[in-house]
Amino acid sequence: MLVDSPPEQRAETAPAPPTRRAARALGLLLSVVLLVLVALASIAIGAKALSLDQVWHGLFHDTGTYGDVVVDERLARTALGLLAGAALGLSGAVLQALTRNPLAEPGLLGMNAGASAAVVTAMTYFGVTSLSGYVWFAFLGAAAVGALVWFLGGSRGATPVRLALAGTAISAALYGYLQAVLITDGAALGKMRFWTVGSLVSATNSTIVQVLPFLAVGTVLALALARPLNAVEMGDDTARALGANLGRTRALAMLAAVVLCGAATAACGPIVFVGLMVPHVVRSFTGPDLRWIMPYATVLAPVLLLGADVVGRVVARPAELQVGIVTAIIGGPVFIFLVRRRRTAQL
């Protein structure tokens, strides 16, 4: 005997009208255009002022100074920002669906802190210096903290508030550990001072090649879970009635989030709020269907990350402000606004 879903849940699973689907498709196309424009701005604008003519020659004609700046630095940095942004946005969408918490994201649930602590430990105490070596530590740290937050938050009975509190407490403890390691080890401080705040400065072609397979696997897995996660968001009873395998869906969703978050953190360091803001904003105009939320988040999260990186290069010339700092400055007030709006809606 099938369980009849409440009207609002039946509305969520009903096919969207053709006009709405067309509007969503057009919006996604415009989002891709916006991403291309921001990527071009990321290549053209930097801490070192270059004219558009110099950027053009650096890309296609010059192997000297301009070529070094544009191709070796800005192009690799932009490509890594595209990949890392997409990974963070997609992992945030997955975690929000998995926990049924619209304020969930890798940073808020402590996964960024877990990956960071594991990488710093690997570098400082085990002598791991290559990305291909410490990326596995990043996965382990993200997975361990994700599981611990889920357990402390009440497992299947977890609520958004309990998950957020558990993630915040664990993140605080791990970031305290990070600071203790960096302060007591001068060599580690010099090596990690940019990485620990989240940065694209160290982007290289080698970095991109090494993280690309992990990000590709995580992206494909997450997108493939859109339909079963739609069912999970409606509640366990409804999901079972719709034929979803809850255990398998949750395990694969957590695996996808860990792979995406771990690879992005290993390459760029902990960058917070991207995975929170973008899926949450996207949901406001796509509706609750993850088959649209995920593609939009994959496109618009790099827009936010690269945009923040460009701002960081411009506001502190000739130095630059790391992208993790810029996203935190933007994300803090946005998070407070979202929490207050959610609380008001519940009253």
Side-chain angles (χ1 to χ4, degrees), residues 117-129:
V119 169
V120 169
T121 300
M123 289 183 171
T124 305
Y125 297 113
F126 299 104
V128 179
T129 57

Side-chain angles (χ1 to χ4, degrees), residues 95-189:
L95 289 173
Q96 288 176 13
L98 182 64
T99 61
R100 301 181 200 133
N101 178 4
L103 301 180
E105 62 109 18
L108 187 64
L109 297 183
M111 295 173 71
N112 282 348
S116 301
V119 169
V120 169
T121 300
M123 289 183 171
T124 305
Y125 297 113
F126 299 104
V128 179
T129 57
S130 67
L131 177 62
S132 58
Y134 63 68
V135 68
W136 299 104
F137 285 86
F139 292 149
L140 179 62
V145 171
L148 183 59
V149 168
W150 183 256
F151 173 75
L152 294 177
S155 301
R156 293 185 178 181
T159 65
V161 172
R162 292 172 69 179
L163 288 171
L165 288 175
T168 300
I170 293 173
S171 294
L174 290 176
Y175 281 127
Y177 163 75
L178 285 175
Q179 294 303 314
V181 171
L182 296 178
I183 289 173
T184 57
D185 189 330
L189 177 61

Side-chain angles (χ1 to χ4, degrees), residues 65-326:
T65 303
Y66 299 148
D68 291 341
V69 171
V70 176
V71 177
D72 295 342
E73 296 179 16
R74 293 186 188 175
L75 195 59
R77 184 170 181 163
T78 300
L80 184 59
L82 289 170
L83 294 174
L88 293 172
L90 193 54
S91 63
V94 169
L95 289 173
Q96 288 176 13
L98 182 64
T99 61
R100 301 181 200 133
N101 178 4
L103 301 180
E105 62 109 18
L108 187 64
L109 297 183
M111 295 173 71
N112 282 348
S116 301
V119 169
V120 169
T121 300
M123 289 183 171
T124 305
Y125 297 113
F126 299 104
V128 179
T129 57
S130 67
L131 177 62
S132 58
Y134 63 68
V135 68
W136 299 104
F137 285 86
F139 292 149
L140 179 62
V145 171
L148 183 59
V149 168
W150 183 256
F151 173 75
L152 294 177
S155 301
R156 293 185 178 181
T159 65
V161 172
R162 292 172 69 179
L163 288 171
L165 288 175
T168 300
I170 293 173
S171 294
L174 290 176
Y175 281 127
Y177 163 75
L178 285 175
Q179 294 303 314
V181 171
L182 296 178
I183 289 173
T184 57
D185 189 330
L189 177 61
K191 182 188 299 184
M192 306 296 295
R193 64 193 182 98
F194 288 124
W195 187 88
T196 52
V197 296
S199 173
L200 300 175
V201 170
S202 59
T204 63
N205 292 332
S206 175
T207 301
I208 295 168
V209 169
Q210 291 183 65
V211 300
L212 186 57
F214 299 106
L215 296 179
V217 170
T219 299
V220 171
L221 180 57
L223 292 175
L225 290 170
R227 187 181 293 274
L229 280 174
N230 272 339
V232 170
E233 273 199 301
M234 297 180 192
D236 289 1
D237 292 338
T238 303
R240 291 191 186 96
L242 293 172
N245 186 320
L246 292 177
R248 183 177 63 188
T249 299
R250 284 174 173 147
L252 291 177
M254 184 60 75
L255 175 62
V258 166
V259 170
L260 290 168
C261 173
T265 304
C268 308
I271 298 176
V272 297
F273 289 120
V274 174
L276 165 66
M277 289 187 286
V278 175
H280 195 87
V281 171
V282 164
R283 186 183 295 267
S284 67
F285 58 83
T286 64
D289 191 346
L290 286 162
R291 292 172 297 179
W292 287 102
I293 293 174
M294 286 184 176
Y296 266 99
T298 304
V299 174
L300 291 179
V303 171
L304 173 60
L305 185 61
L306 287 177
D309 191 44
V310 171
V311 170
R313 298 183 219 174
V314 172
V315 296
R317 279 179 174 172
E320 63 179 79
L321 203 59
Q322 304 308 314
V323 66
I325 298 174
V326 178

